[in-house]
Amino acid sequence: MDSIKIFAPATIANVSCGFDILGLCLDTVGDEMVIKKTKEKGITISKIVGQTLPLEAKKNVAGVAALALLEKIDSDFGFDIEIYKNIKPGSGIGSSAASAAGAVFGINALLGEPFITKELVSFAMEGEKLASGSAHADNVAPALLGGFTLVRSYEPSLEVIKINSPKELYATVIHPQIEIKTADSRSVLKQQVTLKLAVKQMGNLGGLISGLFTEDYNLISNSLHDEIVEPYRSILIPGFEEVKQKCIKAGALGSGISGSGPSIFALSKGEATAKKVAESMSNVYKNIGIDFDVHISKINQKGIKILS
Ligand code: ADP
């Protein structure tokens, strides 16, 4: 095999109570990538369609992640990457993660799979480090493994766990077309939390994980709260409280900020409810007069998919 075409999915990180450690994989929104073996060693990016992003490998998350993988292996050839970008960078649904995860997944496949998928997470994280300054795994892990993933530990070693989730669980995500600077979405965060809030958040995270495994929708709903980050970050997203209220009214199990925003997600039982939620979310931004994209997706249990 000299060439591979893949679907690199969008992801929702944090999922309310799992700041920096929880993420889920979407099915209906993602990039496509074509990766080819080349005679020359190293990584080239020959084409990016849909967005203006750097072609220089060291400045593109796909190139950085690919180089991190190549450093660990003795390969006589190199790779060329083409990226067909559907996920807008800075939207909060893992645009950079899709490219980083897609690059290492595709190269690993062309190399005859020297690494298991879980091992690819740390290479993809190097790409995330370029995008956001911190090597977090809450987007790249669900993109690579599919479903929900939990980062049990970053240090001293990375441990990622795939979490089972009910088949009828759907995500709705709305991306209001406003720009939030990463620096702003980080600077509003408090570096200390009270014991009381930590206890609440731990209860919710444990409840969510348990609810996902046991397919207990009530427990999932009761647990989808973020006491630590959302109160501060949501201030940067116009219409956030209204969107959240309307989602719950439309039947969603819960709603929160997707990644560092500005996208807002909701989880629902069944596609029909997820569609109603999409309509309610859309109406809020139509009324405010902000352009938006909205996506409805079941949870993608596979992660990255090989198209050809
Ligand atoms: P979000 O998860 O909020 O959508 P991203 O993680 O996509 O945000 O980060 C986007 C940043 O990463 C932008 O500064 C963008 O220029 C940079 N970047 C570099 N390479 C890529 C790539 N291949 N895809 C998307 N963003 C990239």
Side-chain angles (χ1 to χ4, degrees):
M1 191 163 62
D2 288 333
S3 167
I4 191 169
K5 186 177 180 187
I6 56 168
F7 169 76
T11 44
I12 295 174
N14 299 342
V15 200
S16 294
C17 49
F19 181 65
D20 267 3
I21 54 174
L22 200 61
L24 67 85
C25 190
L26 297 172
D27 210 26
T28 53
V29 49
D31 300 339
E32 287 186 6
M33 297 172 81
V34 176
I35 301 168
K36 291 180 186 142
K37 281 186 190 172
T38 56
K39 284 203 180 77
E40 300 80 47
K41 289 187 181 187
I43 299 294
T44 53
I45 300 172
S46 60
K47 203 178 191 183
I48 300 174
V49 177
Q51 293 291 330
T52 309
L53 289 164
L55 286 167
E56 195 184 318
K58 284 190 175 156
K59 290 190 178 156
N60 192 299
V61 298
V64 170
L67 288 165
L69 185 156
L70 284 191
E71 239 174 56
K72 293 276 180 228
I73 205 148
D74 203 16
S75 169
D76 293 336
F77 41 85
F79 298 90
D80 179 65
I81 303 171
E82 295 173 13
I83 307 172
Y84 298 85
K85 204 92 204 135
N86 295 314
I87 317 168
K88 290 182 182 142
S91 54
I93 53 170
S95 177
S96 57
S99 290
V104 293
F105 180 94
I107 290 172
N108 190 50
L110 293 177
L111 286 168
E113 298 188 8
F115 300 102
I116 59 164
T117 311
K118 265 193 184 176
E119 289 172 322
L120 299 176
V121 174
S122 52
F123 302 133
M125 283 167 69
E126 289 303 312
E128 289 292 65
K129 205 169 165 182
L130 174 77
S132 68
S134 77
H136 56 101
D138 49 350
N139 286 108
V140 291
L144 282 162
L145 300 169
F148 280 71
T149 56
L150 174 76
V151 184
R152 212 261 329 142
S153 104
Y154 280 100
E155 292 288 343
S157 56
L158 181 73
E159 189 180 344
V160 177
I161 305 160
K162 186 162 172 177
I163 310 293
N164 287 5
S165 55
K167 286 201 175 58
E168 278 299 290
L169 196 62
Y170 276 75
T172 312
V173 196
I174 193 155
H175 173 212
Q177 320 265 290
I178 52 161
E179 193 195 344
I180 297 180
K181 297 212 164 62
T182 313
D184 291 342
S185 69
R186 286 189 178 273
S187 68
V188 292
L189 300 183
K190 296 263 180 289
Q191 290 307 312
Q192 258 94 38
V193 291
T194 61
L195 188 58
K196 198 175 160 196
L197 280 191
V199 168
K200 263 189 157 181
Q201 194 92 345
M202 286 191 284
N204 283 328
L205 182 59
L208 178 58
I209 302 294
S210 176
L212 290 169
F213 267 112
T214 57
E215 310 203 355
D216 182 337
Y217 289 96
N218 271 334
L219 183 53
I220 293 172
S221 180
N222 291 343
S223 308
L224 278 172
H225 300 289
D226 174 7
E227 306 285 344
I228 292 175
V229 171
E230 185 180 294
Y232 302 102
R233 270 201 177 154
S234 59
I235 295 162
L236 302 171
I237 308 172
F240 176 80
E241 280 308 327
E242 196 185 348
V243 167
K244 201 170 159 170
Q245 278 169 24
K246 295 270 163 70
C247 286
I248 305 296
K249 214 169 160 198
L253 300 166
S255 167
I257 303 170
S258 177
S260 55
S263 287
I264 304 171
F265 80 94
L267 293 181
S268 302
K269 182 182 181 184
E271 194 176 14
T273 307
K275 281 183 177 163
K276 269 195 222 156
V277 168
E279 224 178 279
S280 298
M281 286 174 157
S282 305
N283 285 337
V284 174
Y285 284 112
K286 274 182 198 157
N287 289 339
I288 299 178
I290 294 176
D291 288 342
F292 60 87
D293 293 325
V294 67
H295 311 284
I296 299 160
S297 175
K298 70 174 190 308
I299 308 304
N300 169 355
Q301 294 295 345
K302 244 182 99 68
I304 293 169
K305 291 176 191 168
I306 298 175
L307 300 176
S308 62

